[in-house]
Amino acid sequence: MAMNKLVSGVEEALEGVHDDMTFMLGGFGLCGIPENCIAELRKRGIKNLTCISNNAGVDDFGLGLLLQTRQIKKMISSYVGENDEFERQMLSGELEVDLIPQGSLAERCLAGGAGIPAFFTPAGYGTEVGEGKEVRMFNGKPHILEAALTADFAFVKAWKGDSSGNLVFKGTARNFNPPMAMAGKITVAEVEELVPLGELDPNFVHTPGIFVQRIFQGASFEKRIEQRTVRSKN
Amino acid sequence: MAMNKLVSGVEEALEGVHDDMTFMLGGFGLCGIPENCIAELRKRGIKNLTCISNNAGVDDFGLGLLLQTRQIKKMISSYVGENDEFERQMLSGELEVDLIPQGSLAERCLAGGAGIPAFFTPAGYGTEVGEGKEVRMFNGKPHILEAALTADFAFVKAWKGDSSGNLVFKGTARNFNPPMAMAGKITVAEVEELVPLGELDPNFVHTPGIFVQRIFQGASFEKRIEQRTVRSKN
Amino acid sequence: MLDKNGIAQRIAQEVEHGQYVNLGIGIPTLVANFIPEGIDVEFQSENGILGMGPFPFEGEEDADMINAGKQTVTLEKGAVLFDSATSFAMIRGQHVQLTILGAMEVSETGDIANWKIPGKMVKGMGGAMDLVASADNIIVAMMHTNRAGESKVLPKCSLPLTGVNCVKKVVTNMAVLDILPEGGFKLLERAPGVSVEEIVAATAGKLIVEGEIPEMNLG
Amino acid sequence: MLDKNGIAQRIAQEVEHGQYVNLGIGIPTLVANFIPEGIDVEFQSENGILGMGPFPFEGEEDADMINAGKQTVTLEKGAVLFDSATSFAMIRGQHVQLTILGAMEVSETGDIANWKIPGKMVKGMGGAMDLVASADNIIVAMMHTNRAGESKVLPKCSLPLTGVNCVKKVVTNMAVLDILPEGGFKLLERAPGVSVEEIVAATAGKLIVEGEIPEMNLG
């Protein structure tokens, strides 16, 4: 009999979050971000957070909302452009920032979820990222040792999900959500559509429910587009 | 415009295989094995092969067919029971055997495909598998350093595939096929059903075509069941 | 003395509501038949299933749906399929919380041997080394002695190891034993009709017997 | 002198039939518009697309379908979607064969800097460090000089590096340059109307000029 991870909503889903915790948040830019969890974190006003997220949102959306309220102590990201408040806090030293190559970020989350405490990668060798890290040659090429990342909570956003926590993502909204779902001590999934157990095809589930501890239907999703780019029909 | 990886059949698919090469072969037991490629390898009679495969087939099917003809010099596997000829060759020293924990085998293939030359795992520490390998403590627990595996050819078997090499597997026939597909210098996919480009849902492809160099429709699939186990309707 | 089903039945009492469980080949597979009503667990099969169900009805076997013992199986509602790398990510990452497996030998420090008899038999470790190196809770299901009547509950394993300091509990045809962090088998329960003296005689490793030892309650 | 489209057009000539290509933000994105008929390539977008197509028609934008520059895009027939870890497995594993990206500085030993100006600007490296550390072939698309007129083609980068010894070719508004394994920019082609002398004057790094330098053929 499948486990029941269903919670009533975002409030119950975030039970136990508090100051000084480390969170992972899925998404790439504003695509596939856990909007409901971010809103609730802001509402709760918890502080001194370490947030692991590929990007830091924009000034008034995504993680930008928690930067406005100065709830974030440290960001671990790969790309943080497009956010003036972020840049101000970082350059002034108010915000700690650990910038990580995007592939290393994804792999470090995956490793954290997969019980691989460290691995070698060529990315970042010879740069600031490699400073202080062990270097070893493989196939004549220098590699650096990178450590796994885990988090107290991982917040992910899926398209569809069932009560046992099985998740399916849509389009490029998948991005960091699956590796981060694996790396949370408690992984919370907010979904656009909660489907009955058995409706998801077992052969086509992106994130198996074993990685998810709590799931709820998001109250609303804005799904803002950061760079609306189109071509004309001619 | 998508790439065309389609070849006429198993003969063209195996162009370039020769003595002394290292092959990866997908499958778990007899489930999801590349039957057509194995038959063609036997037909070609090439020798001194190193085969990386979770199991070694049974006496008269799967990799057992290449053991009968003494084409295999070395097996890299996790479990080799259920095969008398294998046990005989191994205990007599005719066959070199490298036994690897199943999870390390899967991860070493994945790492080989993902450009991760080495990683730490707790599996095998304190056992023969850990002998001669670097040991390091992480979170108070000893881990050993394992190296990536790659192969001259990876042979995988999929349920459906298209001309650009995108693959979908069925049931538990997925197993080692996706990680091995990533780790072949040349990856050959034999499929039960070749579908027109565009028919596979981009959101539900198990192995992206970038990992596959050649694809063909298998002429026939026996799909033998190793342990037929049933219950009665009462 | 318990038979294999009895051992499985006793082990089923150790399974907690909400756990993801990996069952090894042999006796452990039988544990699935004894999970009480109301205890929701999902079985992981390391070849790529979460939510493994019972064997299929005759005529409904599918060559593409097998368990880690290569037996034809079915899926429970809500099951998921995945590849071997993802499967061991679940195991190594400690998402699978309980592993139940067989053994040839267990030592009083929690070492286990179950994959090789030098010069005689080498089947390979399969997923066992990953499983015992990873799960928080590892229970061994086995006979207390081998066919020659020699104890399998030892001070030190004589066969090549599968893992070190990992087994937490042993359930045999004679007894339930906890392996203490400081070493030693603590006798918790006797099988029906088995005396403490018989267990002492059949146990080569350090056995700790404190107070009255109850008989197993198999309901 | 070339404009951005001209640089993209010239780089498109470097793309080979059957290649998987990652295009960075800015000029590299434009390269997709100039791939000749008959050259089949697939574009990888590191946020999770293989087989990225053009921008959508107005009204057909989908918030769940963006490229690595956060722009709305479409999929080609045969495209695939995947997560970020899989995406960088493709990149790190050298399955993506060609990377085209922008730069603030390039050195004569193939070093590249493009993610940080200390004390002034820090956007982050995004996927660039993984890309330049991995792909066999890396082409930089950039202006030959910065807004202050200073050369970006240097003996040594002054800004924090993105990668070392990795850039194979540089295409600027003035020239096509190979970076030699032993170091140095070998001048291959001049942009239309640009003289060798102008290129020499705009290049701070070691420039190797041998024989007649042809003008680019942009068809």
Side-chain angles (χ1 to χ4, degrees), chain C residues 157-215:
Chain C
C157 294
S158 64
L159 296 171
L161 296 181
T162 307
V164 293
N165 300 131
C166 52
V167 179
K168 299 285 189 297
K169 195 177 282 265
V170 183
V171 179
T172 74
N173 52 330
M174 301 181 76
V176 178
L177 306 160
D178 257 3
I179 297 184
L180 300 179
E182 64 273 22
F185 298 98
K186 178 158 180 154
L187 182 59
L188 299 184
E189 297 173 22
R190 298 173 290 114
V194 176
S195 70
V196 169
E197 291 65 35
E198 285 172 301
I199 295 166
V200 169
T203 304
K206 181 180 175 188
L207 186 73
I208 297 145
V209 186
E210 285 175 359
E212 202 63 29
I213 306 299
E215 203 173 272

Side-chain angles (χ1 to χ4, degrees), chain C residues 92-115:
Chain C
R92 221 188 295 100
Q94 304 190 310
H95 306 281
V96 175
Q97 293 135 331
L98 174 60
T99 284
I100 301 169
L101 80 175
M104 298 172 183
E105 300 178 343
V106 174
S107 87
E108 64 191 37
T109 56
D111 297 350
I112 172 174
N114 75 348
W115 70 284

Side-chain angles (χ1 to χ4, degrees), chain B residues 55 78-80 99 101-104 121 123 127-128 141 171-172 174-176 223 226-231, chain C residues 49 55-57 61 63-64 66 70-72 81 83-84 88 92 116 122-127 130 133 161-162:
Chain B
N55 311 90
S78 89
Y79 188 84
V80 292
L99 289 168
Q102 193 173 135
S104 297
T121 174
T127 75
E128 285 181 14
K141 197 169 156 178
T172 57
R174 198 181 325 174
N175 56 62
F176 278 85
K223 297 175 62 165
E226 203 167 336
Q227 304 279 349
R228 188 177 302 272
T229 325
V230 297
R231 63 188 153 135
Chain C
I49 309 176
F55 298 136
F57 292 120
E61 316 92 276
D64 291 325
I66 64 168
K70 283 96 177 179
Q71 298 169 310
T72 42
L81 298 157
D83 66 46
S84 301
F88 283 90
R92 221 188 295 100
K116 184 177 181 180
V122 188
K123 288 195 183 303
M125 64 293 281
D130 308 274
L161 296 181
T162 307

Side-chain angles (χ1 to χ4, degrees), chain B residues 9-187:
Chain B
V10 70
E11 284 189 35
E12 189 182 347
L14 264 63
E15 227 164 68
V17 300
H18 58 67
D19 292 356
D20 305 308
M21 275 187 160
T22 296
F23 299 144
M24 285 181 181
L25 300 104
F28 185 98
L30 302 179
C31 183
I33 60 174
E35 298 184 17
N36 291 273
C37 288
I38 291 172
E40 177 70 14
L41 287 171
R42 175 161 163 142
K43 195 171 138 204
R44 294 195 176 207
I46 57 169
K47 299 230 177 278
N48 279 323
L49 308 178
T50 297
C51 291
I52 304 172
S53 167
N54 187 58
N55 311 90
V58 293
D59 282 321
D60 63 342
F61 200 55
L63 279 179
L65 294 172
L66 304 186
L67 287 165
Q68 281 181 349
T69 50
R70 317 288 284 271
Q71 291 175 258
I72 301 176
K73 180 186 68 175
K74 182 177 181 179
M75 284 292 314
I76 300 178
S77 304
S78 89
Y79 188 84
V80 292
E82 278 71 81
N83 188 321
D84 293 337
E85 174 61 13
F86 184 97
E87 201 156 9
R88 193 197 63 69
Q89 289 187 24
M90 175 171 56
L91 292 174
S92 71
E94 292 162 63
L95 181 69
E96 264 181 84
V97 179
D98 192 0
L99 289 168
I100 294 179
Q102 193 173 135
S104 297
L105 179 61
E107 191 69 18
R108 289 174 70 180
C109 294
L110 187 67
I116 302 288
F119 59 88
F120 284 97
T121 174
Y125 167 77
T127 75
E128 285 181 14
V129 167
E131 279 172 25
K133 288 176 184 159
E134 181 176 339
V135 175
R136 199 176 293 198
M137 300 294 287
F138 292 94
N139 309 314
K141 197 169 156 178
H143 290 69
I144 60 175
L145 187 66
E146 290 281 10
L149 287 170
T150 56
D152 296 309
F153 278 82
F155 302 116
V156 302
K157 186 262 167 176
W159 177 33
K160 294 179 182 179
D162 66 24
S163 57
S164 74
N166 295 317
L167 304 179
V168 166
F169 302 91
K170 183 162 166 250
T172 57
R174 198 181 325 174
N175 56 62
F176 278 85
N177 285 297
M180 287 183 172
M182 295 168 68
K185 288 192 193 82
I186 296 174
T187 291

